[in-house]
Amino acid sequence: MIIGFLWVLFAAILLGFYAFPSKYVKGYDVENTWGVFWLLAMFIVPVLASILLVNGLMDTYAQVPTSIFISIFFLSLLWGIGNLLWGISISKIGMALGFSLLIGVGTLVGSVLPFFMGNIEQLATPGGMIIVFGILIIMVGIILNGKAGLLREANESSDAGTSNKNMKVGIIMCVVGGICAAGFNLSYHVADSIGHIGDISQNQYANSPWIARLAVMLPSFIGSGVITVFYFAYQLSKGKTWVKFAVPSSPKNIVLIGLMAIVYVTSLIIYGLGAYSLGALGTSVGFAVFQTGCIMVANILGLFSGEWSQAGDKSKRFLYSGLSVMSLGILVIAFGNYMMS
């Protein structure tokens, strides 16, 4: 069980760092950078890795009912929509509130729903109730984190503020985006816990657990990629920014974005390995820890990079309180999962 938590926390750390190379991308607009990123991260990297590393990939999929793949595809489409809605909503309500809302809603939906997808009987056990209690503690920590971010933005902003209309629309988009983004974890749950893709890949074709997670997650990448790649292709055409791919720095940019995609995909595969190692409730326990770890890593990186240097003492107190409460929530979830094992 401990190794499962360590894998999930390591995945959260990787995800916290994956976008760092984008700081060195030159001559691209947003749609150039992220259009290439999603193409690589959702299609090229996972497809090539699966073909090269997974034994019996297509034979594994041939044993899985079509209804499972339809469910995975639908849920992963939601994941892609959630990614896009988050990006749009933060321009309306700010990074702090947008990030906290989306992660908070996504954590709640993505962690609790797997209980109702084959594990409902475990919800009423002492361990199951402790896990849910831990998730609620994490939600409190996320709220405190969001409050810290709002106070920081208020200290740093010289604008009159976001209009009420934009705020309402942004909040609605963020909540809907959070619900949709949970499709990532739910599609993984359907593929592994209900479709048993991982078990087939490991037991029949002698793939190691982490290699089998590639087979589990590949259909989810494809579904999400359909939404994100088409969206950014539309943005590139709308803004007439396809020509930016001809800038002299383009080869270096592609390498940097490729590194981002590899780290991103690796973090999700490691998350899958951690969820598998955590047992029957791995997608509930693991996702809560994974999402929380991402928030904690992002804020800790922000502290070290000076993002909070202009924040007031009050906002920092909320930040430290949020990090402490989220850490407590992770410990409570770990204890609940220990009781279940």
Side-chain angles (χ1 to χ4, degrees):
M1 184 191 72
I2 293 177
I3 190 65
F5 275 100
L6 292 176
W7 280 127
V8 171
L9 289 173
F10 180 52
I13 292 171
L14 282 180
L15 197 63
F17 278 98
Y18 89 91
F20 184 76
S22 66
K23 295 178 181 290
Y24 302 98
V25 172
K26 306 297 182 183
Y28 278 7
D29 284 354
V30 170
E31 57 267 30
N32 296 91
T33 299
W34 292 101
V36 173
F37 170 77
W38 289 116
L39 176 65
L40 291 171
M42 296 291 105
F43 291 106
I44 296 176
V45 172
V47 169
L48 284 178
S50 298
I51 291 173
L52 293 173
L53 298 175
V54 182
N55 297 324
L57 180 65
M58 299 312 297
D59 291 332
T60 297
Y61 289 156
Q63 300 181 54
V64 179
T66 303
S67 60
I68 294 293
F69 287 110
I70 293 174
S71 298
I72 293 170
F73 186 74
F74 173 73
L75 290 168
S76 61
L77 284 177
L78 292 180
W79 173 29
I81 292 171
N83 286 332
L84 296 178
L85 285 178
W86 177 73
I88 297 170
S89 63
I90 60 173
S91 66
K92 298 181 179 294
I93 64 175
M95 174 65 77
L97 182 58
F99 190 71
S100 297
L101 265 178
L102 184 129
I103 294 291
V105 173
T107 299
L108 184 63
V109 175
S111 299
V112 173
L113 278 186
F115 275 106
F116 298 93
M117 300 168 69
N119 296 310
I120 188 64
E121 72 285 350
Q122 300 187 54
L123 187 60
T125 64
M129 288 187 285
I130 289 175
I131 289 171
V132 172
F133 181 59
I135 293 171
L136 295 177
I137 291 175
I138 285 174
M139 298 302 299
V140 173
I142 292 172
I143 291 170
L144 292 172
N145 180 82
K147 178 65 174 178
L150 288 174
L151 289 171
R152 189 191 81 176
E153 289 178 351
N155 288 337
E156 296 172 349
S157 176
S158 59
D159 299 329
T162 306
S163 71
N164 286 334
K165 182 179 179 181
N166 274 349
M167 181 64 74
K168 289 178 182 177
V169 172
I171 288 174
I172 291 171
M173 291 178 69
C174 230
V175 171
V176 173
I179 295 171
C180 291
F184 159 69
N185 195 50
L186 299 178
S187 66
Y188 174 84
H189 179 79
V190 169
D192 204 32
S193 300
I194 300 176
H196 305 294
I197 293 174
D199 287 341
I200 296 170
S201 183
Q202 287 176 234
N203 298 330
Q204 296 187 27
Y205 300 99
N207 288 300
S208 62
W210 77 271
I211 293 292
R213 292 324 107 187
L214 273 169
V216 173
M217 289 191 169
L218 180 60
S220 298
F221 286 126
I222 300 298
S224 177
V226 169
I227 291 291
T228 51
V229 171
F230 271 103
Y231 172 80
F232 281 104
Y234 167 75
Q235 290 297 318
L236 285 163
S237 298
K238 180 182 177 182
K240 298 179 180 179
T241 47
W242 289 99
V243 294
K244 295 272 179 102
F245 289 120
V247 298
S249 59
S250 204
K252 177 186 174 183
N253 290 346
I254 298 297
V255 171
L256 290 170
I257 298 169
L259 179 60
M260 289 167 55
I262 291 170
V263 173
Y264 181 84
V265 172
T266 301
S267 72
L268 298 185
I269 297 302
I270 291 175
Y271 159 73
L273 178 61
Y276 162 77
S277 302
L278 286 169
L281 294 178
T283 45
S284 289
V285 173
F287 193 63
V289 174
F290 181 57
Q291 294 283 83
T292 307
C294 289
I295 295 179
M296 295 174 72
V297 169
N299 281 306
I300 291 170
L301 286 175
L303 283 170
F304 282 104
S305 65
E307 288 181 11
W308 291 83
S309 60
Q310 301 300 316
D313 291 338
K314 187 176 180 180
S315 61
K316 289 180 180 178
R317 284 196 296 271
F318 271 101
L319 173 65
Y320 298 142
S321 298
L323 291 173
S324 299
V325 171
M326 285 187 283
S327 298
L328 174 62
I330 289 176
L331 293 175
V332 171
I333 289 174
F335 178 68
N337 196 62
Y338 172 77
M339 290 185 64
M340 299 293 296
S341 61

